Structures are given as C-alpha cells and as structure tokens.
Amino acid sequence: MTMDPTTSRRNFLKCGAIAAAPLAIATPAAAPADAESRATLARLQDEKAIAALHREVVRQINRGERKLASGLTALAGDPAHDLEIAFAADGQSATCRRACVANFRTEFTGATTLERMHRLQGQGSHEHAEARVLVTEYIKGKEGWAIAGLGFA
Amino acid sequence: MALQAYPDVPLFRYPYTDLSLAQIQASLVGPAGSGPAGKRPLDNNLAGKVLTFTGEGGNQLAWTFGAGNRVRFEGKEGGYGSLDLDHLTLFAHVVPGTTKAYAVAWDRLSNAATVFELWFGDGPAPRARELNREVYFGTVAGAGRPKEPHRRTLRVEGRAFLWQEDTGNRTIEYYPSSTYSHWVELDRLKDYRGYSAPTDYVQLTEEVYAVARIEAEFSGLLHLYLADVNRLQQAGLRFGLNGADQLEFYMFRGTGEWLGQIARFEKLGDFSADPLAIPDRKKGERRVYRPLATMDKMSRAEVDALVASGNVHVFDKPSPMAGNGTASSGALAGRQFAIEYDAGPRMEYRFTGPETLEWRKDAKASFCEARYNAWEMMPGAFIFGHLLEGEANHDGHIVVADLDAGLATNFHGYLNTPYFANEAGCETLFGRIVGEGIPNPGSKRHQRTRDMLGRAFTWEYSPGLNSMHLYSTPYTTSWIIPTADGHFATEWSGSGDFVKIRDQLYFGRWQEEACNGTLGTVLINMRTMHDAGIGYHCGKQGGLSMSAVGAPSRHAGKFDVERFFPVRKGK
C-alpha cells in the first residue's frame, strides 16, 4: 500500500493552509480551487471520522471488548503526541499511529522456582506501564470507516 | 543411612528424623537444669540481678538470677548461660518442664533488649524439630533508658564475614538478604556447599547486631549470635537438634574476618527492614521457603509416561525467565561439526536451520532431528541446547561452543537421579570441536574458573520477575528474590559449576535439587552485562522442557572468599 507521507494531521493542515491562500486573489482558477477545497473538506471529514473511531477502539480495548496484547489492562493516548494518520493514495484506507501508555499486569502462575518464590513473597503478579505505539488500520466502506486491524508497533 | 550429626551428604539429601515433641522434650530435661555448655567458661555473671523486660506490646517477662548459673523464670528454676560482648550481654536458658527457651540480648548501658522466645512444636514450623522463634523488642527496667530501641535492620545486608568460634568451627556467613542468610561451614561439613535459611537481623548498637538463623528445611537448629562488626567479635548460642538427633545447647565466642560488601538495591534512604511482613500474622510466623514441599515428585514410570504422551516443550513458547533475554541467533544454520568430549560422547551436528538440527551420538545410529535455540554471546561463541530424544534419561545437552577456539563445554542434564526421577542431574563435559574451518585446540580445553567465586549478579528476567545470584562456593549457586522495593529477601541454593569460556565470558549452572528439579544454565557476558541460558526441567505442570533464560545484569560485587576453597575437580 502506498502512503502519502504528507498526510499526517499537522502536515495536512499546514499544506491545506498554504493551498487556501491563493484562493482570494486567483478567481480565474476558481474551478480547480473548488475541487481542491472539496478534497480538503473530504479529507478533514475522513480524519475526523477516523479520530472518533480511534477513540472508540481505545475505549473498546479498555473495556476488554478488543484483545490487543496479553496482560494489557489499560491503554491511554500519550497527550504529548497527536494521532498520526497516513492515508493510502486512493484515500480508501489509512494507517494510524498513536503513542500510548500501556499498562500491563503479569500473573506469575507458573511452576518455575522464581515464580514460586515471588508468590511466597506476596508478589504473585506485577503491574507495569510501557510507552508503546498503537498502530491501527482503517478501511473506508459503504458504511464509512471501519477498523481493519490493530496492534502495537 | 547411619545418623550423622553433620552429614557427609548435602543437607538437602539427609533424612532428618521427624522427632516427636515428647522425644525433644526428653532431650531438653538435662540442659534445662544445667544451662548451655561452652568450650570455654561462660561469663554467667548475672547472679543477684532481677531483669524485668517490657516489650513494645506491653508484654512483661522477668528473670531472677541466683548464684552460680541459676535462673528463675515463670516460677521454674534452671540453668542459664551468659556471655558479655562489651556492654551487651547475651543470656540463654531452657524453661524446665517445657519445650520453650529464651535468648536475650541486653544492652546494660541503655537497657534496650531483644528477646528471642524459642519453642519446639505446635507450629508454625511444620516439624517439631524445627525451632520456632518470636522476637520482642523492649526495655529492661533500670536506671538507663534507651534512646533508640533495638530494631530489625538491613544495615548488614550485603556483607559477609568469616566467623571462627572457640569451638574451632569456621563459617562463612553471607548476608545478601534482609530476611535470609547463606552460610558455608568449613569444618563440620565437608563438601564446601552453601545453604540458605531464614534469618533475623537486629541492630543493637551502631556496631553490634544480633543475627539469628534457623536452619529450616534441614536440622531446624538455631544459630544466634551478637556480632560486633567493627571489632570483629562474636558471642553466640547454638541450640537445637543436629543430624544425629543430639541436642546442641552451647554458647561460643568467635572472631571475625570481613570478607566484603556487595551492593544493596533499596532506594537510597530506605532503611525499612521487614520487607516480608505478614498482616495479622500468628506468633512465630514468617515467610519460609519450603521447596521440597512444593516440588513435583515423580517416579521414573511417571516421567517416562509424561514424555511418551508428548508433553515435551523445547523452546516452543515464551519463557518468563527470558522476557528481557538476548535475541536468539540463527547463525549456526548450515554449519556442521562434531564435538568430541573427553571420555565421550562424540556428538555430530548438522544445523539444518536456525532452530532445527540433526544430532548423532557416538556414530551409533542414524541422525535424529531436534529443535534447538542458539545465542551468540560473543562473536563465534554460541550457547545452544537440545533434547536427546530416545535417551533413557531424557537427556539434554546445553553446550557452549567457541567456534573460534575449537572448544566446547556441555552441561549435560539428565533425569532419573536416585532421589526424584523428574529432578535434573548434571555433569560438566569438556571437549573439542571438529569441523571445517574450526581450529584444532589440541589438548587445550575450557577450564573451571574461580573468577565467579564470591560474585553476585542481579538478573532482570521479565517485568516484576527478578533475582540475584550469589556464587558462594565453587560448588554452589545461591539465588535471592527481591521485593518490589528492592529489598532482597527469600533465598535458596543448589549445586553450581562455573567455566571460563573467554575473558569476561563465563558459563555457569545451578541445580534446583530437592527444589523444583530444574537445571539452569547461563552464559554470562560481563562486557555486555547480559546473559543467555537454558532451563531444563521436568514437572507435572510443564512436562519435559527446555526454555530460554536471559536477563540484563548488574554486578552487585565480589566477596573475597577464594582462599577458603580448594580447586574443584571432577564432573
């Protein structure tokens, strides 16, 4: 799948702003500009739909409705990073990357000596957080955008 | 087996008699009247004193000392013994007509005191011969008032001393934990092995500590002493039943030698010292590791049936012991060579893929397929392992092959030991590698090393699953489990062996004998401070398995103990 490398949200908005500037002074080119505006609007709508879907996917993971990784107990977007969306050239699919904080719980239920000794000490499980990147694949169908796959990078 | 006070077999192999409480009580009658013995005269200088102890919980105990070594306690008169260590006194006695005894550390200047109440039977120890203890901190009535009460401490964690008693016995005492200790008797026991046992550490003064270990899982004896770690002086008590079921009740003086200090891993400023506290615990209760009780014990027929059923797992699933392990290597794929071990066997290998090989032993049969994993820990130096399907003892070979030197060492694991069929035995085989492009080392072989002796390494296997190894003797690997906040606590130990592969590259092993039965192996790279290894195990839950071991490491330090041990020989 070929991805447009300029379509992360920030880059897209920046490009959109640059493209919009000539509109005010270049009326003879109105027809192409309209087409571009429609495309821009469509892309913004796609982004909005994917972002909403992405939030719902994360909620589903946290409710346990989607299995992402063994031992994962909670997933939260890292507020220091935006959702990065890369659309396929045909605009019909997209790959999203989101830096996250993933919380895991490991149960030491095995028969190894170390696990037995950890249990003796009251350390039968362990919780820890990791910085991970959630990668989700979306496809556009008749009903709109839908998730096609997800996993950690 | 004839009874032996200090067995000539490993303590975990010795069948300590399951004595009844009545038998123990009978053995206490004489000592209760006479008090503890001593190689040299005890101080026994408390005549005329009445010591009233008030514990922090308000409990009161009172001793009235008479002439000679007489003491009256709870209305019963018996014999006591006492030793002074500067301004501290340790006294001990058995309460006549009971299975109860006391050992008391009293600071005569401050009147701070620590009372060890000791008793046989009625638990929480599972066998009557294993002494129970409860520790009380408080004060003795008198003019002096303690500024600081005695407290459990981690101040001695990480240290080791050689203590030589006036009995002539020398013991290396490692304190790598704040709840356990590890000791090596150099005289009464003959095999230079270390053992681990639950231990109380109490700080009495800036320089003097009370150390009390109960040899749980073995004889059940108490070894308690006040240790002046600055002046390297010791005054102590040994109390309990030895391997010949003879009551030992004597006090001793000793001198010490500082053997070093390894790192502690608590957060700086954390001096808390009771990391395994049990909420609402019963009197005497503490967390004691009892590996034999929890170990799967299988017969040879059960092991054979387990293997025949296909409950065999060779590197077929993630191992919690290698969550942070070194990445495996496929670099042996396509190689062919033979390893000729001194005195056999000769193993021929065709590495048909990154995780598949064919082996043939002593050219006796056609090649057998096996799954393996390999790790290249230094360029040209690999560790790999595989099972030898069809061998009567379900053998596993865990091999370090240095293809640049033409040398190989094999920790040959096997089942069907005389003790438990599912317990791994091990022998160390040295040999040379024969193959295209591999140099002929002639008579040169890998050698056992003392470079590891006295060292301690932490291992971070997976999040939340950590340990520290202490290579306490040429024959012993001990492992200690940390708490989440960095206190090292529960400890156990088994047979070990250590081979130098290259500078800063060492091949080590441990056997969990009478304790889960695993053979663990590690190839330690002290340059990268990472290891790769293989566990070989047979149990009801996991079947017969080979699995990865691997973790980043920290070098916690090295004790100066080499001079106490002879050079190891044999397999």
Side-chain angles (χ1 to χ4, degrees), chain B residues 328-364:
Chain B
S328 62
S329 166
L332 289 176
R335 301 291 301 252
Q336 293 187 31
F337 53 76
I339 302 177
E340 297 175 350
Y341 295 107
D342 299 343
R346 184 176 196 272
M347 295 293 298
E348 293 173 79
Y349 287 107
R350 299 170 182 161
F351 292 88
T352 53
E355 296 187 346
T356 54
L357 59 73
E358 295 174 341
W359 61 271
R360 186 166 69 164
K361 182 180 174 186
D362 294 330
K364 285 180 180 171

Short mmCIF file of all heavy atoms in Angstrom, two decimals, chain B residues 328-364:
data_model
loop_
_atom_site.label_atom_id
_atom_site.label_comp_id
_atom_site.label_asym_id
_atom_site.label_seq_id
_atom_site.Cartn_x
_atom_site.Cartn_y
_atom_site.Cartn_z
N SER B 328 17.83 -14.59 20.15
CA SER B 328 18.48 -15.82 19.70
C SER B 328 19.13 -15.60 18.34
O SER B 328 18.84 -14.63 17.64
CB SER B 328 17.47 -16.98 19.65
OG SER B 328 16.45 -16.68 18.73
N SER B 329 20.00 -16.53 17.99
CA SER B 329 20.78 -16.40 16.76
C SER B 329 20.50 -17.58 15.84
O SER B 329 20.39 -18.72 16.30
CB SER B 329 22.27 -16.38 17.10
OG SER B 329 23.06 -16.57 15.93
N GLY B 330 20.41 -17.31 14.56
CA GLY B 330 20.28 -18.38 13.58
C GLY B 330 21.59 -18.65 12.86
O GLY B 330 21.62 -19.34 11.85
N ALA B 331 22.67 -18.11 13.40
CA ALA B 331 23.95 -18.14 12.68
C ALA B 331 24.56 -19.54 12.59
O ALA B 331 25.52 -19.73 11.83
CB ALA B 331 24.94 -17.18 13.34
N LEU B 332 24.04 -20.49 13.36
CA LEU B 332 24.59 -21.85 13.22
C LEU B 332 23.96 -22.59 12.03
O LEU B 332 24.48 -23.64 11.63
CB LEU B 332 24.34 -22.65 14.51
CG LEU B 332 25.18 -22.24 15.73
CD1 LEU B 332 24.77 -23.07 16.95
CD2 LEU B 332 26.67 -22.41 15.46
N ALA B 333 22.87 -22.05 11.51
CA ALA B 333 22.19 -22.74 10.40
C ALA B 333 23.18 -22.98 9.26
O ALA B 333 23.92 -22.08 8.84
CB ALA B 333 21.01 -21.91 9.93
N GLY B 334 23.19 -24.19 8.79
CA GLY B 334 24.08 -24.56 7.69
C GLY B 334 25.43 -25.10 8.14
O GLY B 334 26.18 -25.66 7.33
N ARG B 335 25.72 -24.94 9.43
CA ARG B 335 27.02 -25.45 9.92
C ARG B 335 26.93 -26.94 10.22
O ARG B 335 25.87 -27.47 10.54
CB ARG B 335 27.45 -24.71 11.21
CG ARG B 335 27.59 -23.21 11.10
CD ARG B 335 28.76 -22.79 10.25
NE ARG B 335 30.05 -23.27 10.70
CZ ARG B 335 30.99 -22.50 11.28
NH1 ARG B 335 30.77 -21.21 11.47
NH2 ARG B 335 32.17 -23.01 11.63
N GLN B 336 28.07 -27.58 10.13
CA GLN B 336 28.21 -28.98 10.55
C GLN B 336 29.49 -29.11 11.35
O GLN B 336 30.52 -28.56 10.95
CB GLN B 336 28.31 -29.93 9.34
CG GLN B 336 27.05 -30.01 8.50
CD GLN B 336 27.17 -31.09 7.44
OE1 GLN B 336 27.83 -32.10 7.63
NE2 GLN B 336 26.50 -30.87 6.31
N PHE B 337 29.43 -29.78 12.44
CA PHE B 337 30.66 -30.08 13.19
C PHE B 337 30.37 -31.19 14.18
O PHE B 337 29.20 -31.57 14.40
CB PHE B 337 31.23 -28.83 13.89
CG PHE B 337 30.27 -28.08 14.77
CD1 PHE B 337 29.91 -28.56 16.03
CD2 PHE B 337 29.75 -26.85 14.35
CE1 PHE B 337 29.06 -27.84 16.84
CE2 PHE B 337 28.89 -26.12 15.17
CZ PHE B 337 28.54 -26.61 16.41
N ALA B 338 31.42 -31.69 14.75
CA ALA B 338 31.29 -32.69 15.81
C ALA B 338 31.95 -32.16 17.07
O ALA B 338 32.89 -31.36 17.00
CB ALA B 338 31.95 -34.00 15.39
N ILE B 339 31.41 -32.58 18.19
CA ILE B 339 32.04 -32.24 19.47
C ILE B 339 32.50 -33.53 20.11
O ILE B 339 31.70 -34.44 20.35
CB ILE B 339 31.08 -31.48 20.41
CG1 ILE B 339 30.57 -30.21 19.73
CG2 ILE B 339 31.78 -31.13 21.71
CD1 ILE B 339 29.56 -29.43 20.56
N GLU B 340 33.81 -33.60 20.35
CA GLU B 340 34.39 -34.79 20.98
C GLU B 340 34.67 -34.46 22.44
O GLU B 340 35.62 -33.72 22.76
CB GLU B 340 35.68 -35.18 20.25
CG GLU B 340 35.42 -35.59 18.80
CD GLU B 340 36.70 -35.87 18.01
OE1 GLU B 340 37.81 -35.57 18.52
OE2 GLU B 340 36.58 -36.39 16.89
N TYR B 341 33.82 -34.97 23.31
CA TYR B 341 34.02 -34.73 24.73
C TYR B 341 35.05 -35.69 25.27
O TYR B 341 35.09 -36.87 24.87
CB TYR B 341 32.69 -34.88 25.49
CG TYR B 341 31.68 -33.84 25.09
CD1 TYR B 341 30.58 -34.18 24.30
CD2 TYR B 341 31.83 -32.51 25.47
CE1 TYR B 341 29.66 -33.23 23.91
CE2 TYR B 341 30.90 -31.55 25.07
CZ TYR B 341 29.83 -31.91 24.30
OH TYR B 341 28.93 -30.96 23.90
N ASP B 342 35.88 -35.20 26.16
CA ASP B 342 36.89 -36.06 26.78
C ASP B 342 36.18 -37.22 27.47
O ASP B 342 35.26 -37.00 28.27
CB ASP B 342 37.71 -35.26 27.79
CG ASP B 342 38.44 -34.10 27.13
OD1 ASP B 342 38.58 -34.11 25.89
OD2 ASP B 342 38.85 -33.18 27.86
N ALA B 343 36.58 -38.42 27.18
CA ALA B 343 35.94 -39.63 27.71
C ALA B 343 34.52 -39.80 27.21
O ALA B 343 33.72 -40.52 27.82
CB ALA B 343 35.98 -39.63 29.24
N GLY B 344 34.20 -39.11 26.10
CA GLY B 344 32.92 -39.28 25.45
C GLY B 344 31.82 -38.44 26.02
O GLY B 344 32.00 -37.85 27.08
N PRO B 345 30.73 -38.36 25.27
CA PRO B 345 30.46 -38.96 23.97
C PRO B 345 31.01 -38.10 22.82
O PRO B 345 31.56 -37.02 23.07
CB PRO B 345 28.93 -38.98 23.91
CG PRO B 345 28.53 -37.76 24.67
CD PRO B 345 29.54 -37.63 25.79
N ARG B 346 30.87 -38.59 21.59
CA ARG B 346 31.15 -37.79 20.40
C ARG B 346 29.81 -37.44 19.77
O ARG B 346 29.04 -38.32 19.41
CB ARG B 346 32.01 -38.57 19.40
CG ARG B 346 32.42 -37.76 18.17
CD ARG B 346 33.35 -38.56 17.27
NE ARG B 346 34.03 -37.70 16.32
CZ ARG B 346 33.55 -37.35 15.12
NH1 ARG B 346 32.36 -37.80 14.73
NH2 ARG B 346 34.25 -36.57 14.33
N MET B 347 29.54 -36.14 19.71
CA MET B 347 28.26 -35.68 19.17
C MET B 347 28.50 -35.04 17.80
O MET B 347 29.30 -34.12 17.67
CB MET B 347 27.64 -34.64 20.11
CG MET B 347 27.26 -35.16 21.48
SD MET B 347 25.90 -36.34 21.45
CE MET B 347 24.57 -35.33 20.80
N GLU B 348 27.80 -35.56 16.80
CA GLU B 348 27.87 -34.96 15.46
C GLU B 348 26.64 -34.10 15.25
O GLU B 348 25.53 -34.51 15.61
CB GLU B 348 27.92 -36.06 14.40
CG GLU B 348 29.20 -36.88 14.42
CD GLU B 348 29.10 -38.04 13.46
OE1 GLU B 348 29.27 -37.83 12.24
OE2 GLU B 348 28.81 -39.15 13.94
N TYR B 349 26.85 -32.94 14.66
CA TYR B 349 25.74 -32.00 14.45
C TYR B 349 25.66 -31.55 13.00
O TYR B 349 26.68 -31.26 12.37
CB TYR B 349 25.93 -30.75 15.32
CG TYR B 349 25.67 -30.99 16.78
CD1 TYR B 349 26.73 -31.04 17.69
CD2 TYR B 349 24.38 -31.15 17.26
CE1 TYR B 349 26.50 -31.26 19.04
CE2 TYR B 349 24.15 -31.37 18.61
CZ TYR B 349 25.20 -31.43 19.49
OH TYR B 349 24.97 -31.65 20.81
N ARG B 350 24.43 -31.50 12.51
CA ARG B 350 24.10 -30.81 11.26
C ARG B 350 23.03 -29.79 11.63
O ARG B 350 21.91 -30.19 12.01
CB ARG B 350 23.54 -31.77 10.22
CG ARG B 350 24.45 -32.90 9.80
CD ARG B 350 23.59 -33.85 8.96
NE ARG B 350 24.34 -35.02 8.52
CZ ARG B 350 23.75 -36.14 8.10
NH1 ARG B 350 22.41 -36.23 8.08
NH2 ARG B 350 24.46 -37.15 7.68
N PHE B 351 23.37 -28.53 11.52
CA PHE B 351 22.39 -27.49 11.84
C PHE B 351 21.59 -27.20 10.58
O PHE B 351 22.06 -26.50 9.68
CB PHE B 351 23.09 -26.25 12.39
CG PHE B 351 23.72 -26.49 13.73
CD1 PHE B 351 25.01 -26.99 13.84
CD2 PHE B 351 23.00 -26.25 14.89
CE1 PHE B 351 25.59 -27.24 15.08
CE2 PHE B 351 23.56 -26.50 16.14
CZ PHE B 351 24.86 -26.99 16.23
N THR B 352 20.42 -27.76 10.49
CA THR B 352 19.63 -27.69 9.27
C THR B 352 18.83 -26.39 9.16
O THR B 352 18.28 -26.10 8.10
CB THR B 352 18.67 -28.89 9.21
OG1 THR B 352 17.91 -28.92 10.44
CG2 THR B 352 19.45 -30.19 9.08
N GLY B 353 18.76 -25.65 10.20
CA GLY B 353 18.02 -24.39 10.17
C GLY B 353 18.33 -23.58 11.41
O GLY B 353 19.10 -24.02 12.28
N PRO B 354 17.72 -22.41 11.53
CA PRO B 354 18.00 -21.57 12.70
C PRO B 354 17.49 -22.18 14.00
O PRO B 354 17.94 -21.81 15.08
CB PRO B 354 17.30 -20.25 12.39
CG PRO B 354 16.31 -20.57 11.33
CD PRO B 354 16.85 -21.72 10.55
N GLU B 355 16.54 -23.13 13.91
CA GLU B 355 16.02 -23.75 15.13
C GLU B 355 15.89 -25.27 14.99
O GLU B 355 15.23 -25.90 15.81
CB GLU B 355 14.66 -23.13 15.51
CG GLU B 355 14.77 -21.65 15.87
CD GLU B 355 13.48 -21.07 16.41
OE1 GLU B 355 12.43 -21.72 16.27
OE2 GLU B 355 13.54 -19.97 16.97
N THR B 356 16.48 -25.84 13.96
CA THR B 356 16.41 -27.29 13.78
C THR B 356 17.81 -27.82 13.52
O THR B 356 18.62 -27.19 12.81
CB THR B 356 15.51 -27.67 12.60
OG1 THR B 356 15.94 -26.98 11.43
CG2 THR B 356 14.06 -27.35 12.89
N LEU B 357 18.07 -28.96 14.10
CA LEU B 357 19.37 -29.60 13.89
C LEU B 357 19.17 -31.11 13.83
O LEU B 357 18.11 -31.64 14.15
CB LEU B 357 20.37 -29.22 15.00
CG LEU B 357 20.05 -29.56 16.46
CD1 LEU B 357 20.17 -31.03 16.80
CD2 LEU B 357 20.95 -28.76 17.39
N GLU B 358 20.23 -31.76 13.40
CA GLU B 358 20.29 -33.22 13.47
C GLU B 358 21.52 -33.59 14.28
O GLU B 358 22.59 -32.99 14.12
CB GLU B 358 20.38 -33.81 12.06
CG GLU B 358 19.14 -33.56 11.23
CD GLU B 358 19.30 -34.01 9.79
OE1 GLU B 358 20.45 -34.20 9.33
OE2 GLU B 358 18.28 -34.17 9.12
N TRP B 359 21.34 -34.56 15.17
CA TRP B 359 22.46 -34.99 16.01
C TRP B 359 22.63 -36.50 15.92
O TRP B 359 21.69 -37.24 15.65
CB TRP B 359 22.26 -34.57 17.47
CG TRP B 359 21.03 -35.16 18.12
CD1 TRP B 359 19.78 -34.62 18.13
CD2 TRP B 359 20.93 -36.41 18.83
NE1 TRP B 359 18.90 -35.44 18.80
CE2 TRP B 359 19.58 -36.55 19.25
CE3 TRP B 359 21.85 -37.40 19.16
CZ2 TRP B 359 19.13 -37.64 19.98
CZ3 TRP B 359 21.40 -38.50 19.89
CH2 TRP B 359 20.06 -38.61 20.29
N ARG B 360 23.85 -36.91 16.13
CA ARG B 360 24.14 -38.35 16.20
C ARG B 360 25.18 -38.54 17.29
O ARG B 360 26.17 -37.81 17.36
CB ARG B 360 24.66 -38.87 14.87
CG ARG B 360 24.84 -40.38 14.87
CD ARG B 360 25.02 -40.93 13.48
NE ARG B 360 26.31 -40.52 12.91
CZ ARG B 360 26.85 -41.11 11.84
NH1 ARG B 360 26.20 -42.09 11.23
NH2 ARG B 360 28.00 -40.70 11.36
N LYS B 361 24.92 -39.52 18.13
CA LYS B 361 25.80 -39.74 19.28
C LYS B 361 26.65 -40.98 19.04
O LYS B 361 26.13 -42.07 18.76
CB LYS B 361 24.94 -39.94 20.54
CG LYS B 361 25.71 -40.12 21.82
CD LYS B 361 24.71 -40.30 22.98
CE LYS B 361 25.44 -40.65 24.27
NZ LYS B 361 24.47 -40.95 25.35
N ASP B 362 27.96 -40.80 19.12
CA ASP B 362 28.92 -41.90 19.01
C ASP B 362 28.72 -42.75 17.75
O ASP B 362 29.02 -43.94 17.74
CB ASP B 362 28.83 -42.82 20.26
CG ASP B 362 29.28 -42.10 21.51
OD1 ASP B 362 30.15 -41.20 21.40
OD2 ASP B 362 28.76 -42.40 22.60
N ALA B 363 28.23 -42.11 16.70
CA ALA B 363 28.07 -42.75 15.39
C ALA B 363 27.30 -44.07 15.47
O ALA B 363 27.46 -44.95 14.62
CB ALA B 363 29.44 -42.98 14.74
N LYS B 364 26.46 -44.20 16.49
CA LYS B 364 25.80 -45.49 16.71
C LYS B 364 24.53 -45.67 15.90
O LYS B 364 24.06 -46.79 15.72
CB LYS B 364 25.46 -45.64 18.20
CG LYS B 364 26.68 -45.95 19.06
CD LYS B 364 26.29 -46.09 20.51
CE LYS B 364 27.51 -46.39 21.37
NZ LYS B 364 27.20 -46.33 22.80
#
